[in-house]
Every structure is written in structure tokens, then in C-alpha cells.
Amino acid sequence: MKILVTGGTGYIGSHTVVELQKKGFEVIIADNLSNSSIDVIDSIGKITGIKPLFEKIDLSEQEPTKDLFSHYPDLNSVIHFAAYKAVGESVTMPLKYYQNNLCSLINLLREMESHGIRDIVFSSSCTVYGQPDILPVTETAPIKKAASPYGNTKQIAEEIITDVSKVTAIQAILLRYFNPIGAHESALIGELPLGVPNNLVPYITQTAIGKRDFLNVWGKDYHTPDGTAIRDYIHVVDLAMAHVTAIERMLEGKNKQKVEVFNLGTGIGYSVLDVIKSFERTSKEKLNYKFMERRPGDVEEVWADTEFANRELGWKAERGLDEMTLSAWRWEQRLAGL
Ligand code: UFG
């Protein structure tokens, strides 16, 4: 079975390629390398013994996308990760986000339709729920008005896929990620943020390795037990495995609707201080941090109801917080040549 993985050299994409290869899938990666490195291909090869095929291509351009599908007429399914993902940048450069994230999806769907490729797994986000009224949040919770153009591209993309599925053979599984962190146990692949990280765990590991002076903890006056915000952190390898399960579900015809939606989280909420404590425990490093004002746009707390994914998808996140923070630390150490 041949799977096209767009954004396959990126953080979640690369871990998914490894899990696909381990299950015997043949993978073609399409990525424009705008936020990833070509070295990832070799690292994947070192982990699995198979170097995936790679096409450097910008999927927001129609002609190259057409050529890609003509070149691989026997693709079975698509996993679509390729997208910009910096929430703050999307607020200052909305057109960049709408153009890239939506045009690439439209081009892909058009080619899938004309080549009779039926299945797509799409990277969505728990950001579609905003601050949910009821926790844990289920897949049927209302979609809230997006807080950023980035979040809006995820909502619109879900709608585009759903509309297209109604009038074509295309079927989809939309995976709403909570907060992916950690790295592969080999420490050969992991998250590679460009410049100053926005996300908590890369900021923690970069501070501990000495690249940053201290971590800003955004807000200590939330209505949570320790006053810091709560998220559902999920190990990137668990997340990657869910994509393989989703692809298999559609290939085996086990999906029950043209478009299915699953939350991908652990079902456990941890505060920023919980993550810091876990990091200090597993790395045996003391982290420098300061409390600051809340970060605009942040929700107070969100964690997943995973019952539907556990029961219906037959997938469950297995790795705990300490394994997540330790693997992220090993990856940061490897980047530093330690
Ligand atoms: N945080 C800090 N200091 C930092 C970075 C983050 O205290 O330097 C805090 C945030 O305020 C938040 C928590 O750590 O409370 C997690 O923040 P992240 O930036 O790691 O993750 P977010 O929950 O803000 O964002 C993630 C993804 C987005 C996605 C969103 C959906 O990065 O792509 O979840 O809720 F849209």
C-alpha cells in the first residue's frame, strides 16, 4: 500500500512515516521544507532501515501538485500534515495562512478526486473547540469561533473536506490533536522549531540546554489547582500510531461514516507546572522559570474525552508525561551534540 504523506519531514509527519513503514506501508513524502530539514529523510532511514521517497513540492501550487499525482498514479491514501502552524504569526499574516493551508488542501482534494484516491486523514486540532463548556471535551462539542486565522484554517479545512465528501467518493478521518510533545525514542527525529519556540516543551528543553535564559510561564492566576493553564499533552509517537490506525480503518472499510472525527489526547489534563516538574524529575535538571501575565488567546483548560477514539478507532495513547518530557530532553541533548 502506497501512502502520500504531505508534510512528512515535519514533526508529527516524520514520526508517522516511521510508524507507517514499520507496518509495511510504502511512503512518499511531499514537503516544501519550509519548516523542516531534508536530513529527516536520512534519520527516518536510520530508524526503519527504509529511506522514504521524497518530493520537494509546494502543494499550494496547482501544477506541481498535478505532476506529483501523475508521477504516482498508484497511491492508495493520503495523510495531510503540510500546513503552517504558528498561531501568533497567523494573526499578523492571515493571508499567508489561508493561502497555504487552504490552497494546498484544495489542490490535494482535486487531484485525489481526478485520480480516484478515496481516503484522506487530516491533521486537525483541539483548537476548534476553543474553551469548551464541558470537560472533558467530546467530538460532538460545539465548534467555537476560531481565536486565530490558524485555528480558522483548521475549521474551514474540516468543512471543505466534509462538503467534498458529500459529492465525491472521497472519505476522511479528521484527527483533532491535543498537545503533541516528545520525540522518538531513538532521539533521531523530534520537534525542530525555527527561531524562538512558541510551544511549552521546546521552550523548556531549550532553556535547560542553555539556549534561552528562562522560561516564561504565561499566567498563574487561572482557575486551576496551581493557577497555571491545563492541557492534554500527548506523546508524538502515540499520535503517529493513531494515523496508521486511521488509514487502516478506511482501507479495510471499517469506517462508519464518510467523515469521522476523533480526538487524539490522553484524557488527562496537566498544568504548566506539572510539565515543568515532570521535566525536572526526568532530566534531573533545574529549570529557570518566571511567572508572567497570561498569553493573549490562551484558553484556561482543555483535555480530551478519549472514549470514542478508544472504543471506535481502537487506539489508545500509552505513553505517560514523564516519557514525553524525557524523550524531548534526549532529543534536545542530541541536537546539542551531547
Ligand atoms: N506556555 C508557557 N510558556 C511558554 C509556552 C507555553 O507558559 O513559553 C504555556 C501556554 O500558556 C499554555 C501551555 O503552556 O498554557 C501550552 O502552550 P503551547 O504553546 O505549547 O500549546 P497551546 O495549547 O497554546 O497550542 C497548541 C498548539 C496549537 C493549537 C493549540 C490548540 O501549539 O497549534 O494547541 O489548543 F492550536
Side-chain angles (χ1 to χ4, degrees):
M1 288 288 170
K2 268 194 194 163
I3 315 291
L4 175 67
V5 179
T6 78
T9 50
Y11 175 43
I12 305 170
S14 58
H15 289 82
T16 301
V17 171
V18 166
E19 297 308 317
L20 284 166
Q21 289 182 329
K22 276 164 68 177
K23 282 279 194 112
F25 289 98
E26 190 180 334
V27 175
I28 294 114
I29 293 179
D31 201 304
N32 65 1
L33 299 176
S34 66
N35 193 21
S36 59
S37 162
I38 189 69
D39 299 345
V40 169
I41 302 293
D42 283 339
S43 301
I44 293 172
K46 276 188 199 150
I47 295 171
T48 62
I50 309 158
K51 236 170 116 169
L53 292 172
F54 174 74
E55 299 288 344
K56 184 170 186 296
I57 165 180
D58 187 337
L59 297 157
S60 68
E61 292 175 19
Q62 196 175 345
E63 284 309 312
T65 309
K66 264 191 175 169
D67 294 345
L68 175 75
F69 278 79
S70 310
H71 196 73
Y72 297 100
D74 52 350
L75 288 172
N76 294 92
S77 312
V78 176
I79 307 183
H80 182 41
F81 293 103
Y84 293 147
K85 60 173 184 176
V87 177
E89 184 189 55
S90 79
V91 175
T92 54
M93 304 171 101
L95 287 178
K96 176 175 168 177
Y97 276 69
Y98 288 118
Q99 207 272 334
N100 184 65
N101 293 6
L102 298 179
C103 293
S104 59
L105 174 68
I106 292 165
N107 287 337
L108 268 180
L109 290 171
R110 197 185 279 121
E111 294 312 311
M112 285 176 66
E113 186 187 1
S114 65
H115 288 83
I117 300 164
R118 198 189 52 179
D119 309 335
I120 180 167
V121 174
F122 177 68
S123 295
S124 190
S125 167
C126 70
T127 195
V128 303
Y129 301 121
Q131 176 60 64
D133 302 321
I134 300 168
L135 288 168
V137 60
T138 66
E139 289 83 352
T140 53
I143 301 295
K144 296 275 177 76
K145 185 169 167 35
S148 68
Y150 159 78
N152 211 17
T153 66
K154 293 296 177 193
Q155 293 188 3
I156 297 169
E158 287 196 358
E159 288 175 3
I160 291 173
I161 293 170
T162 305
D163 287 344
V164 170
S165 77
K166 289 177 187 157
V167 290
T168 65
I170 289 174
Q171 52 180 11
I173 294 184
L174 314 178
L175 298 177
R176 292 181 181 156
Y177 311 155
F178 283 67
N179 286 56
I181 61 169
H184 193 263
E185 59 177 5
S186 64
L188 287 166
I189 52 172
E191 193 168 4
L192 257 185
L194 273 187
V196 183
N198 290 308
N199 297 120
L200 178 63
V201 170
Y203 211 107
I204 289 177
T205 56
Q206 288 199 6
T207 304
I209 209 89
K211 279 194 196 166
R212 315 273 156 216
D213 293 336
F214 53 87
L215 168 78
N216 297 304
V217 175
W218 304 122
K220 61 168 180 179
D221 59 348
Y222 284 107
H223 300 102
T224 59
D226 66 21
T228 64
I230 292 178
R231 298 285 183 277
D232 185 336
Y233 296 92
I234 173 169
H235 198 300
V236 67
V237 172
D238 279 326
L239 194 73
M241 291 169 103
H243 292 75
V244 181
T245 308
I247 279 290
E248 288 172 341
R249 180 176 172 85
M250 288 191 284
L251 284 171
E252 291 164 13
K254 289 186 186 155
N255 49 323
K256 298 193 174 142
Q257 285 168 3
K258 284 293 281 292
V259 178
E260 294 183 317
V261 181
F262 295 103
N263 282 343
L264 298 186
T266 63
I268 304 168
Y270 286 111
S271 71
V272 175
L273 286 178
D274 289 333
V275 178
I276 293 173
K277 278 186 217 143
S278 164
F279 173 78
E280 290 188 328
R281 192 163 53 234
T282 57
S283 68
K284 304 191 172 56
E285 298 284 328
K286 183 99 195 71
L287 191 75
N288 225 352
Y289 62 90
K290 289 185 186 168
F291 290 104
M292 307 295 276
E293 293 296 303
R294 293 180 184 194
R295 186 171 67 175
D298 273 353
V299 300
E300 183 161 83
E301 51 182 1
V302 59
W303 65 91
D305 187 322
T306 58
E307 197 271 333
F308 184 58
N310 297 165
R311 173 172 48 85
E312 191 53 48
L313 193 58
W315 163 92
K316 194 173 186 329
E318 303 286 352
R319 292 160 180 80
L321 184 60
D322 284 358
E323 198 172 342
M324 302 183 212
T325 55
L326 182 60
S327 64
W329 179 232
R330 294 235 164 93
W331 163 244
E332 189 71 61
Q333 287 179 304
R334 186 181 156 269
L335 286 178
L338 298 176

